[in-house]
Amino acid sequence: MFAVHLLAFHFTKLKEDQITKVDRFLHQLRLSDDVLQDVAARFQAEMLKGLARDTNPTAAVKMLPSFVRSLPDGSEKGEFLAVDLGGSQLRAHQVRVSDDGKQSSQLESKFYPTPKEVTQGNGAELFDYIADCLSDFMDTRNLKQKKLPLGFTFSFPCKQTKLDEGVLLEWTKHFRVRGVQGTDVVSSLHRALQKHQDIDVDVLALVNDTVGTMMTCGYDDPRCEVGLIIGTGTNACYMEEMRHISLVEGDEGRMCINTEWGAFGDDGALDDLRTEFDRELDLGSLNPGKQLFEKMISSLYLGELVRLILLKMTKEGLLFNGKVSAALLTKGKIEMKHVSAMEKYKEGLSNTREILTELKLFPSEEDCVAVQHVCTIVSFRSANLCAAALAAILTRLRDNKKLLRMRTTVGIDGGLYKTHPRRLHPSTTRVPAGLALSPRAQLQHPASPKCLWGETPHIQIAKVSVGMRAELEYGLKREAQGQATVKMLPTYVCGMPDGTEKGKFLALDLGGTNFRVLLVKIKSGRRRSVQMYNKIFAIPLEIMQGTGEELFDHIVQCIADFLDYMGIKGARLPLGFTFSFPCRQTSIDKGTLVGWTKGFKATDCEGEDVVDMLREAIRRRNEFDLDIVAVVNDTVGTMMTCGYEDPNCEIGLIAGTVVAKWPLREGSTYVEYEKMTSGMYLGEIVREILIDLTKQGLLFRGHISESLRKRGIFETKFLSQIESFSRILQETVKELAPQCDVTFMLSEDGSGKGAALITAVAKRLHNVGQK
Ligand code: GLC
């Protein structure tokens, strides 16, 4: 034990030392809140400079009018083609948009490589290549006979005078194609397409990827008015008031401006923040002196930045025993994918070791920790710089609208944002002005600012855990009975199965989705096994909500059916009754219903002993007799079933139609905690949230559809596809109770098998008692 502690201490110390060392070395890359506010202010000033006609020619941030004046309004329809050039690959898309009331779009895409001959060759070859890819795509999609309009996403700064014309101002990122700068790229593409006799496409619009992103998100969310890319390059666009755009005639309405923020700092505006590594990276790039902001942020450059930092640290003897490898000296050897892998939450350190070893650097434990921290600092600065410029745009939008508080949506795309383990997110990024980010995110929810800025979910969950523990303890006290919200009901189940149980048992299961009757055959000894036969019966709503007598008569009718079906009507078998509602028990076969839950409402049951009610119904029918041994909650059945396999099992938990009856509120018909967690209610909670967001105009263009109005449209099975409930449950438990080593075992039919096992154990103990 001591050794383990010593090791843990050693590792913590090692980590602290390395982190301090790197922090000290890279202090210039760590930007304080004040600095970031200042960056936002500088970017605000740059935007103004770019927007005004007389200062635009010398402005670094070009603020290019896109001639996109409105966002989609949902009435769009038809079939379109798109080609997208500017990221790591060339992409061709077929988009089908329908306005059949469902407002849906379909997208089919194909990716094509962009080798160096294409990105750094000559213009004619580039456009021929794009036309060839498009022709191939139309071939694979069987579209050659159609005349289709085409959108050309060309993610480079272009001066547009209309939607279907754009003169390339400058190549950026990894592109440097001869003979294109200063020419209209739409007509070049048009010319290349004309060489293909077998296709007929009409290039209708030239679009920057930021604008495409804003439009795509705008199709789903009318509030979207900013588009942001954080991928190979970085850039943003937003809707600006026409009256502020002096480069375009007219004052009415708005137009989307492609800021081309990647060039922020090209006039020296960020020189005080750029480090020797930024300068070195720039000097070795395709376009020295250009896109300086982009070079601090986007994925094309972060790997190289990390490499330059590691190289310098090694040369100064701070890493790898001062031994530089040939790989570390080679430009481009560290890429963004490596940085991401090294920063991964769990595997990060082992990835780091692997990557460094491949670079022939022979890293020690200390080296790995330090290198990982270098990656973190570089990524963190990237996210923070992006956030600062975005905050400037958001502040501008808010000022334009003369609002004190503003709600808006930012459409975001780009590989770095989507795949980097540390996302640009409010928890890792500081966005001034009370704004928070998420992909396609709605910004600033005034009703629940706490969610964003207050307690972290961890603290909230830890509080629930502490609160629950207090409730559990209170519920156990004699004086609490009747008042405790968490009832802590004794079950009179005192022993676990010991493997000697055997015989035939009946089990009833009421309280799940259906009512079931089961025959359970338990064998002990070497042929130890449990065999089950069951029949499922629906309980009609009028019976669930009729009188208690009707309910129990129906139950007995189902039992009679089952006994008939199994041919065992004469046998007086011991029976366990799984009754999954809160019951106050005074013995194992007596349970008074405290209150119905889960939609049951039968009258004259609450406060009554359900075993008595069942016995009376059997008597009324007067056809057979049963030996009711135990009344069981499904959680107890579950614990017993698992206990039969694993003697260490001592907790039973249900997270299905219902979670174990924890805080039951006296006097209220529903169980509140249960509503937040159980399958039966989760779908409804999701539906309510969607309705609420739609009412606020944040979803579905503010239109609440008929189906959304229908109760129960979201079944739990859909929700479980969205999130892995069990993973979250298990990981959170591990975090909150780190001292407990818990095995989570899926119970096989706790309600059926468990009831039989409880009955068997009760019989065994009873016999022992009698002896
Ligand atoms: C570069 C381009 C810009 C593009 C961005 C993201 O910054 O200049 O037009 O939007 O990369 O792809």
Side-chain angles (χ1 to χ4, degrees):
M1 197 62 189
F2 182 66
V4 171
H5 282 140
L6 204 62
L7 213 66
F9 173 76
H10 171 71
F11 188 70
T12 316
K13 181 83 178 56
L14 175 154
K15 228 177 139 169
E16 272 173 18
D17 289 350
Q18 296 308 310
I19 286 173
T20 319
K21 174 174 89 184
V22 174
D23 278 346
R24 211 172 288 149
F25 190 77
L26 293 180
H27 68 98
Q28 261 194 302
L29 273 94
R30 310 212 49 147
L31 307 175
S32 68
D33 284 1
D34 288 347
V35 170
L36 289 173
Q37 291 279 9
D38 189 38
V39 171
R42 291 186 213 181
F43 189 67
Q44 282 251 340
E46 288 296 325
M47 285 198 285
L48 281 179
K49 204 167 161 190
L51 280 174
R53 187 197 295 266
D54 40 343
T55 43
N56 176 276
T58 57
V61 179
K62 283 287 175 242
M63 305 295 281
L64 301 164
S66 69
F67 291 82
V68 168
R69 291 168 194 261
S70 61
L71 287 151
D73 69 358
S75 66
E76 298 72 18
K77 61 176 175 184
E79 200 167 352
F80 306 89
L81 285 174
V83 265
D84 179 352
L85 182 81
S88 48
Q89 285 171 305
L90 180 117
R91 287 177 290 183
H93 308 286
Q94 175 192 5
V95 191
R96 256 177 272 156
V97 191
S98 62
D99 71 341
D100 54 0
K102 287 194 211 117
Q103 193 195 326
S104 59
S105 60
Q106 272 181 311
L107 183 74
E108 304 285 346
S109 312
K110 194 167 171 187
F111 292 70
Y112 297 89
T114 47
K116 208 166 169 185
E117 305 85 74
V118 172
T119 58
Q120 293 176 34
N122 75 57
E125 280 163 12
L126 169 70
F127 289 102
D128 282 345
Y129 181 69
I130 301 175
D132 290 348
C133 294
L134 196 64
S135 163
D136 170 78
F137 179 66
M138 292 178 77
D139 210 15
T140 30
R141 303 284 322 146
N142 233 338
L143 294 171
K144 280 205 158 155
Q145 68 296 351
K146 290 192 180 174
K147 179 175 168 65
L148 292 174
L150 173 90
F152 182 19
T153 302
F154 184 73
S155 307
F156 302 95
C158 280
K159 195 175 185 78
Q160 291 187 257
T161 43
K162 45 188 178 172
L163 192 57
D164 60 352
E165 187 188 281
V167 172
L168 175 68
L169 294 176
E170 213 137 27
W171 283 115
T172 56
K173 299 177 282 197
H174 52 308
F175 281 73
R176 193 168 55 178
V177 185
R178 292 183 297 280
V180 185
Q181 200 174 327
T183 66
D184 171 23
V185 293
V186 177
S187 43
S188 302
L189 179 62
H190 188 71
R191 263 193 308 273
L193 286 168
Q194 272 180 337
K195 293 184 199 162
H196 289 260
Q197 297 295 328
D198 52 342
I199 58 172
D200 189 4
V201 287
D202 196 8
V203 190
L204 274 197
L206 179 74
V207 190
N208 186 266
D209 52 355
T210 54
V211 184
T213 299
M214 182 188 76
M215 296 296 268
T216 311
C217 294
Y219 187 71
D220 294 326
D221 179 346
R223 282 182 196 266
C224 184
E225 49 189 351
V226 179
L228 173 62
I229 301 283
I230 318 172
T232 312
T234 182
N235 189 13
C237 70
Y238 72 101
M239 294 302 288
E240 178 59 90
E241 304 293 322
M242 278 293 284
R243 65 193 143 90
H244 295 152
I245 312 174
S246 59
L247 294 164
V248 181
E249 290 300 310
D251 275 351
E252 288 305 302
R254 302 200 292 176
M255 182 182 281
C256 177
I257 291 284
N258 166 14
T259 63
E260 283 294 329
W261 80 14
F264 180 28
D266 289 6
D267 57 357
L270 296 174
D271 277 1
D272 56 330
L273 301 179
R274 293 178 60 233
T275 62
E276 56 174 298
F277 310 109
D278 297 305
R279 283 191 284 275
E280 204 175 333
L281 176 134
D282 177 47
L283 283 177
S285 70
L286 277 180
N287 50 353
K290 300 280 161 67
Q291 301 291 106
L292 298 184
F293 191 56
E294 183 160 86
K295 286 173 183 161
M296 296 162 98
I297 293 173
S298 73
S299 63
L300 190 60
Y301 307 105
L302 293 195
E304 182 64 2
L305 260 186
V306 168
R307 186 187 70 88
L308 293 171
I309 293 168
L310 299 189
L311 184 59
K312 170 113 197 257
M313 287 184 78
T314 314
K315 282 183 178 165
E316 294 197 4
L318 292 168
L319 287 175
F320 316 122
N321 269 329
K323 288 201 189 77
V324 171
S325 72
L328 190 61
L329 283 165
T330 313
K331 191 172 133 193
K333 269 285 170 185
I334 299 183
E335 296 175 35
M336 190 64 221
K337 62 174 189 224
H338 302 124
V339 179
S340 292
M342 292 194 272
E343 281 189 74
K344 274 245 167 76
Y345 172 53
K346 277 185 188 141
E347 317 91 89
L349 264 187
S350 62
N351 289 345
T352 307
R353 170 175 297 280
E354 221 170 87
I355 290 165
L356 296 175
T357 309
E358 258 170 43
L359 294 173
K360 305 269 178 315
L361 286 166
F362 311 107
S364 65
E365 194 67 36
E366 285 91 337
D367 291 334
C368 293
V369 172
V371 170
Q372 193 180 42
H373 195 53
V374 169
C375 295
T376 307
I377 291 183
V378 169
S379 302
F380 201 72
R381 184 183 69 154
S382 151
N384 279 324
L385 286 172
C386 236
L390 179 61
I393 291 183
L394 295 170
T395 311
R396 178 157 182 92
L397 273 172
R398 193 189 59 188
D399 289 349
N400 280 348
K401 295 183 191 181
K402 300 194 173 55
L403 289 175
L404 220 56
R405 294 168 72 84
M406 177 188 68
R407 175 177 305 163
T408 191
T409 299
V410 178
I412 309 185
D413 206 344
L416 177 50
Y417 182 82
K418 286 197 295 202
T419 58
H420 191 273
R422 271 171 235 277
R423 293 205 174 170
L424 178 66
H425 184 272
S427 59
T428 52
T429 314
R430 290 151 289 173
V431 186
L435 301 156
L437 287 184
S438 64
R440 295 180 162 214
Q442 180 235 330
L443 300 186
Q444 203 187 29
H445 193 309
S448 57
K450 262 202 130 181
C451 305
L452 298 175
W453 301 107
E455 286 169 354
T456 64
H458 286 196
I459 296 181
Q460 287 171 355
I461 290 174
K463 278 190 173 170
V464 172
S465 165
V466 171
M468 177 60 90
R469 182 161 175 180
E471 292 284 342
L472 297 180
E473 279 166 13
Y474 181 64
L476 283 174
K477 295 206 164 89
R478 180 192 289 271
E479 61 274 20
Q481 287 308 319
Q483 291 166 36
T485 51
V486 186
K487 287 278 173 268
M488 305 298 282
L489 300 164
T491 65
Y492 293 85
V493 168
C494 305
M496 296 295 281
D498 66 358
T500 62
E501 296 71 20
K502 61 175 182 203
K504 283 185 196 162
F505 303 87
L506 277 179
L508 309 180
D509 174 15
L510 182 73
T513 335
N514 291 300
F515 173 61
R516 289 185 312 150
V517 189
L518 305 95
L519 173 66
V520 185
K521 291 185 188 169
I522 308 176
K523 286 189 186 142
S524 62
R526 282 207 307 155
R527 292 170 57 216
R528 195 179 131 158
S529 67
V530 179
Q531 273 183 313
M532 293 195 288
Y533 307 87
N534 76 71
K535 215 170 165 197
I536 297 173
F537 300 89
I539 302 216
L541 195 70
E542 62 272 19
I543 295 213
M544 273 167 79
Q545 304 187 353
T547 68
E549 253 186 41
E550 282 163 353
L551 174 65
F552 280 89
D553 282 348
H554 179 74
I555 290 174
V556 173
Q557 162 76 52
C558 299
I559 303 174
D561 259 21
F562 180 75
L563 296 178
D564 250 353
Y565 172 75
M566 297 298 299
I568 48 170
K569 212 163 200 173
R572 191 173 182 270
L573 298 177
L575 177 142
F577 182 12
T578 297
F579 183 76
S580 305
F581 300 93
C583 271
R584 196 175 300 289
Q585 292 189 245
T586 46
S587 70
I588 194 155
D589 65 348
K590 273 193 191 321
T592 306
L593 174 63
V594 177
W596 284 120
T597 54
K598 296 180 282 190
F600 275 78
K601 279 192 193 141
T603 56
D604 313 316
C605 297
E606 290 177 355
E608 300 294 323
D609 178 0
V610 292
V611 177
D612 274 351
M613 292 189 76
L614 180 61
R615 283 200 180 113
E616 271 161 36
I618 294 173
R619 222 169 289 138
R620 273 199 297 279
R621 190 167 178 106
N622 199 17
E623 231 181 82
F624 53 84
D625 199 11
L626 296 172
D627 171 19
I628 307 174
V629 178
V631 56
V632 184
N633 186 270
D634 51 357
T635 53
V636 187
T638 297
M639 181 185 76
M640 295 298 268
T641 309
C642 292
Y644 187 68
E645 309 295 338
D646 175 354
N648 288 325
C649 180
E650 41 189 3
I651 297 179
L653 169 73
I654 301 282
T657 304
V658 97
V659 162
K661 322 305 171 283
W662 287 335
L664 176 78
R665 222 168 263 295
E666 199 80 323
S668 104
T669 22
Y670 294 105
V671 180
E672 303 213 336
Y673 187 78
E674 173 177 305
K675 273 193 181 176
M676 285 162 61
T677 49
S678 79
M680 187 175 163
Y681 299 113
L682 278 185
E684 277 308 279
I685 292 174
V686 168
R687 197 176 65 90
E688 301 249 331
I689 292 172
L690 291 187
I691 291 182
D692 200 44
L693 290 175
T694 313
K695 277 191 188 149
Q696 293 179 45
L698 297 171
L699 284 179
F700 316 128
R701 296 173 190 289
H703 173 72
I704 303 178
S705 69
E706 275 313 305
S707 355
L708 191 57
R709 278 182 218 282
K710 269 193 216 120
R711 286 183 80 85
I713 54 157
F714 292 114
E715 292 176 29
T716 315
K717 61 177 183 212
F718 298 139
L719 301 178
S720 15
Q721 281 164 9
I722 300 172
E723 264 297 6
S724 160
F725 189 94
S726 57
R727 186 181 53 80
I728 297 177
L729 178 84
Q730 296 184 15
E731 283 177 6
T732 314
V733 166
K734 213 175 261 166
E735 224 164 87
L736 291 175
Q739 325 79 324
C740 306
D741 184 7
V742 188
T743 305
F744 290 85
M745 179 178 185
L746 259 186
S747 145
E748 181 207 354
D749 196 354
S751 300
K753 191 165 158 183
L757 284 167
I758 289 171
T759 309
V761 174
K763 277 265 169 205
R764 171 168 56 85
L765 295 178
H766 183 76
N767 291 344
V768 172
Q770 273 190 339
K771 270 184 205 154

